[in-house]
Amino acid sequence: MSQTPENEAVQQKIDELIEVAGITENQALIRSIVSTGIGLGEDGADRLNLKITSAAVEEMRNAFRLFAPHRGEHKVTIFGSARTQREDPLWLLAEEVATKMAEHDWFVVTGAGPGIMEAASHGAGEQHALGVSIRLPFEESPNMIIAADDRQVSMKYFFTRKLMLVKESRGFVCLPGGFGTMDELFELLTLQQTGKMIPVPIVLVDHPDGTFWSRFKTYIEDELDAAGMISPNDLDRVLITSNADAAANEITGFWRNYDSLRWFGTELVLRLRAEPTDEEVAGLNEQFAHLIADGCFEKTPARPAEVRDNDVPEAPRLVFTPAQRRIGELHRIIRALNALESAPRSAAKPSQ
């Protein structure tokens, strides 16, 4: 909104509305959201555009409310075909993976539909299953494990649904599926490759005799990699397995030593569970010199902003300036951190 006297009066009314509503936190962001809505009216946005905006914001609010009581819990999203039947080995495998994640006290998030989604919800159990469903004219209603309003949220738009299936989780498991599953997987890979999402473990699961993911890998290597459309070995960030224990261990083990990260300009701070030795830091500098734009890995205390935000200020830290074109390779550094001799022996849970 441009700052005319009329708009200054509108902003004053917005401030008054925020005060009447009793909103005391994040007022600037709330003011921006309300101002944007009024700005759409000033722009003369047509009814369809306004309906899309209104529905998207409402759906996101509903999803935020679903996840809010579980903010401190750790979540893995499981994708897969809605058409997989109960007698299919993939159903049983999805159920087993979800069961093992629930045993680690992780919540299992699915698309809330039938097939692999229902198998994963069933494996997780009512206490560990959450769902983000899509309203389709031909698809069944949310499966009974998460049918209650406090276990699932229904979406009209795929883009808001995909956002919520990804936003809350710190690990992802994909089983064979159709266009929807592949869309979700490729978006995950794109977000990881471009650094638009924090590094997370991704596991592709198939039954022992299956070729779904092996052929997928061949296509990626023979077509995308060979043509220079992706970086060499971009798929190294993904584990392909037919073993439920291996899948669960990949998700939990990714957080064995690595905890979280935070950007400060071009510098990246990596928070760890255990402080590396000076010799280990020297080894990291040698191993990953090609991923560093300037300087080297250095130990660092929590920065004032991290202390202010209570952003795990007690955790040991490494700081470095990554080469921006290589940001998609952060997972290699994280795996090296998890393999350090100083790293804890047991897997942990990521900070939320």
Side-chain angles (χ1 to χ4, degrees), residues 8 54 65 107 152 202 209 236 243 271 308 325 328:
E8 288 179 4
S54 176
R65 294 171 71 183
F107 274 73
Q152 68 92 26
I202 301 171
D209 297 324
D236 285 357
N243 184 279
R271 279 83 71 104
R308 180 197 65 215
R325 298 284 295 181

Side-chain angles (χ1 to χ4, degrees), residues 335-352:
R335 295 180 192 283
L337 293 171
N338 290 331
L340 294 176
E341 187 64 29
S342 62
R345 298 299 95 188
S346 61
K349 294 181 179 180
S351 296
Q352 293 295 295

Side-chain angles (χ1 to χ4, degrees), residues 51-285:
K51 287 178 68 176
I52 291 172
T53 304
S54 176
V57 171
E58 183 178 0
E59 289 187 350
M60 287 190 287
R61 182 192 179 197
N62 290 338
F64 295 154
R65 294 171 71 183
L66 170 70
F67 286 113
H70 311 290
R71 187 168 291 131
E73 306 294 343
H74 309 289
K75 307 170 192 73
V76 57
T77 295
I78 297 182
F79 298 116
S81 175
R83 304 186 184 191
T84 304
Q85 300 300 306
R86 288 178 177 268
E87 63 275 9
D88 193 308
L90 290 174
W91 173 289
L92 300 177
L93 196 50
E95 183 180 38
E96 185 180 3
V97 172
T99 297
K100 291 185 180 298
M101 293 308 302
E103 288 172 352
H104 285 288
D105 203 25
W106 282 58
F107 274 73
V108 174
V109 182
T110 72
I116 293 298
M117 295 173 280
E118 184 173 3
S121 298
H122 191 272
E126 186 175 333
Q127 296 305 310
H128 284 87
L130 296 171
V132 184
S133 65
I134 188 76
R135 296 193 294 274
L136 297 174
F138 53 83
E139 191 158 294
E140 300 174 29
S141 58
N143 64 71
M144 293 306 296
I145 300 295
I146 51 177
D149 288 342
D150 64 343
R151 311 307 298 180
Q152 68 92 26
V153 63
S154 178
M155 300 287 203
K156 176 180 180 180
Y157 297 119
F158 273 108
F159 74 89
T160 50
R161 184 200 193 203
K162 286 201 297 181
L163 171 64
M164 294 307 161
L165 285 170
V166 169
K167 173 184 174 293
E168 294 286 331
S169 290
R170 294 297 179 264
F172 297 86
V173 177
C174 294
L175 287 95
F179 292 145
T181 299
M182 301 309 291
D183 176 44
E184 289 151 345
L185 173 58
F186 273 114
E187 178 155 327
L188 273 177
L189 294 174
T190 301
L191 292 171
Q192 291 288 290
Q193 182 197 54
T194 57
K196 295 295 288 184
M197 178 184 181
I198 64 169
V200 290
I202 301 171
V203 184
L204 310 182
V205 178
D206 199 355
H207 61 78
D209 297 324
T211 60
F212 192 93
W213 296 123
S214 61
R215 290 182 176 179
F216 169 78
K217 181 179 181 182
T218 298
Y219 169 76
I220 296 296
E221 293 173 343
D222 291 354
E223 299 295 336
L224 305 187
D225 191 352
M229 297 177 182
I230 62 173
S231 299
N233 305 314
D234 255 351
L235 211 59
D236 285 357
R237 74 183 74 250
V238 172
L239 172 69
I240 298 176
T241 184
S242 60
N243 184 279
D245 281 316
N249 291 339
E250 174 72 4
I251 300 295
T252 59
F254 191 86
W255 308 98
R256 173 181 159 194
N257 192 21
Y258 167 68
D259 179 87
S260 54
L261 59 78
R262 183 164 174 175
W263 287 94
F264 290 90
T266 60
E267 290 189 324
L268 181 61
V269 174
L270 300 173
R271 279 83 71 104
L272 310 176
R273 292 182 64 206
E275 182 177 342
T277 66
D278 292 341
E279 292 77 12
E280 288 173 332
V281 175
L284 291 170
N285 280 314

